[in-house]
Amino acid sequence: MKDVTLGLVGVGRIGVMHANNISALNHVLNPQGINVRLKLTDVAADHARSVASGIGAEFLPSVQELIASGVDGLVVATGTGTHPDLIRTGVDAGIPVFCEKPVAMNVADSAPVLDYIRDNGGTVQIGHQRRFDAGYLEAKRSFEAGELGWIHSLRAVTCDMTPPPVEFLAGSGGLFRDCSVHDFDILRWLTGREIVEVYAKGSNNGDPAIGEVGDVDTALALVTFDDGTLGTVSASRYNGAGHDVRLEIQGSAGSLLVGLDEKSALASAEAGVMFPSGESHRTFAERFDQAYRSELAAFVELILGERDNPCTPEDAVAASRVADAAQESLETGLPVRVALSARDHGSRS
């Protein structure tokens, strides 16, 4: 049996989800001869102790003590502003790091982090969980097998049922950076192509407080790929039918729709059509429950040297560049070329 100890930093909304998923990993990995243990820390010590006690994990008072206690990998689920320093801490300790997206608050701040990881031989996996969703994986397989022919249109949708707290939105970087960045990542990943231009529009018809903190509650981006293919990426904080994440891929030989199942947050206007009949997802955690579990299982395999990195920091920063361009277009009302950089080591240019 191979023992792997993960150290989790941050037990807020995302961190608690990761803690529960890590504690359940052994159901999947024990048959493969892998045993996973969890240690965690958070500045909210009482809350962290309670979380640890509830799932049989060990609480440590600080990140430094967590690492010193002996961990094989570091899972970062703290606020975005802390990501660069915690990534560096893990790299300095010589252990692989799993970090929720994004790498840093903005692309400019991400560049020195990429350099630090590269210069110090670090291993960092970024949490773009959609790469582990069964529907997206099947769409990528089908496209690469030639079953769809060449793609002529892509339509990505990500809609929350209800908006997050305004306090969160105030520091999120905007709807494109917080939400649509997942779509920008999956479009690059699935097609193997770069998005080179974005034209974005947004609106604010919900809570005025969202606009007051500089965000929009609904947005649409027209994206152009480096081969001329067109796509749209739409997002909203107000989708009362449920949490809705879909990707429509239309090709010269066939079409696929990711996210169309009995829990889809939509209804048909056609007579006699009862599909879908299930209850829609309420949150992103429900929609991607299995994907979140799978990405952490992949991180354990990465620690053990049994797989390649499924989402590099360079990939994440490339998606963030598209999100930055979308935000700039939203603010200026003009199409914006996506700034590609030689510092995105390994990214397609």
Side-chain angles (χ1 to χ4, degrees):
M1 186 72 73
K2 303 172 185 176
D3 290 324
V4 176
T5 301
L6 297 181
L8 171 65
V9 185
V11 286
R13 180 178 60 163
I14 295 293
V16 168
M17 180 189 71
H18 283 319
N20 287 327
N21 287 342
I22 291 169
S23 70
L25 273 181
N26 286 327
H27 294 297
V28 176
L29 296 180
N30 276 173
Q32 301 176 33
I34 301 170
N35 182 60
V36 180
R37 296 188 177 93
L38 174 63
K39 301 178 180 181
L40 58 82
T41 189
D42 192 289
V43 292
D46 289 342
H47 171 62
R49 284 194 186 92
S50 176
V51 171
S53 176
I55 58 176
E58 180 181 353
F59 168 78
L60 279 301
S62 69
V63 176
Q64 292 73 25
E65 291 170 271
L66 181 75
I67 291 176
S69 73
V71 294
D72 301 300
L74 191 67
V75 178
V76 177
T78 52
T80 298
T82 66
H83 290 183
D85 284 344
L86 288 170
I87 288 173
R88 292 187 182 99
T89 297
V91 170
D92 289 344
I95 56 176
V97 177
F98 173 93
C99 184
E100 272 299 332
K101 63 86 182 166
V103 172
M105 285 296 292
N106 54 58
V107 170
D109 289 345
S110 298
V113 182
L114 296 184
D115 288 340
Y116 195 87
I117 296 167
R118 185 196 69 243
D119 293 345
N120 290 278
T123 297
V124 180
Q125 176 185 336
I126 303 298
H128 276 291
Q129 86 287 347
R130 293 188 193 184
R131 295 179 177 217
F132 295 91
D133 177 76
Y136 287 105
L137 286 166
E138 171 58 20
K140 184 175 176 66
R141 184 210 62 77
S142 180
F143 170 61
E144 292 182 344
E147 295 169 2
L148 305 181
W150 52 269
I151 294 175
H152 61 78
S153 303
L154 296 127
R155 299 179 183 88
V157 175
T158 298
C159 296
D160 291 330
M161 185 174 181
T162 56
V166 172
E167 294 76 16
F168 168 81
L169 298 179
S172 71
L175 185 58
F176 286 121
R177 294 189 180 107
D178 168 54
C179 183
S180 296
V181 69
H182 285 291
D183 292 303
F184 299 139
D185 173 71
I186 214 69
L187 290 176
R188 294 183 66 253
W189 171 80
L190 191 149
T191 65
R193 309 211 70 92
E194 293 292 352
I195 295 170
V196 296
E197 185 179 86
V198 185
Y199 179 46
K201 301 289 285 185
S203 65
N204 231 324
N205 294 324
D207 186 351
I210 295 177
E212 291 168 5
V213 298
D215 203 359
V216 294
D217 59 49
T218 301
L220 175 69
L222 171 65
V223 301
T224 304
F225 291 82
D226 55 12
D227 65 346
T229 300
L230 299 177
T232 57
V233 174
S234 62
S236 180
R237 300 295 192 186
Y238 287 98
N239 198 66
H243 188 77
D244 188 12
V245 178
R246 287 175 281 124
L247 175 62
E248 184 178 352
I249 310 143
Q250 291 187 300
S252 60
S255 297
L256 278 179
L257 181 54
V258 177
L260 182 63
D261 59 21
E262 289 292 348
K263 288 182 172 290
S264 295
L266 48 81
S268 174
E270 305 301 328
V273 178
M274 304 304 295
F275 175 86
S277 61
E279 183 177 346
S280 63
H281 298 291
R282 288 331 195 217
T283 67
F284 66 87
E286 290 180 28
R287 169 65 176 84
F288 291 108
D289 175 65
Q290 187 56 56
Y292 277 115
R293 295 172 186 269
S294 295
E295 71 175 356
L296 286 171
F299 181 55
V300 172
E301 293 169 353
L302 181 64
I303 290 171
L304 293 172
E306 296 177 355
R307 68 166 299 152
D308 293 332
N309 193 338
C311 187
T312 68
E314 291 80 12
D315 282 331
V317 172
S320 291
R321 287 190 187 282
V322 182
D324 280 3
Q327 183 65 29
E328 181 182 344
S329 178
L330 178 66
E331 294 170 359
T332 63
L334 300 171
V336 173
R337 298 289 293 181
V338 178
L340 299 178
S341 170
R343 300 183 81 164
D344 290 342
H345 312 288
S347 293
R348 303 175 189 89
S349 57

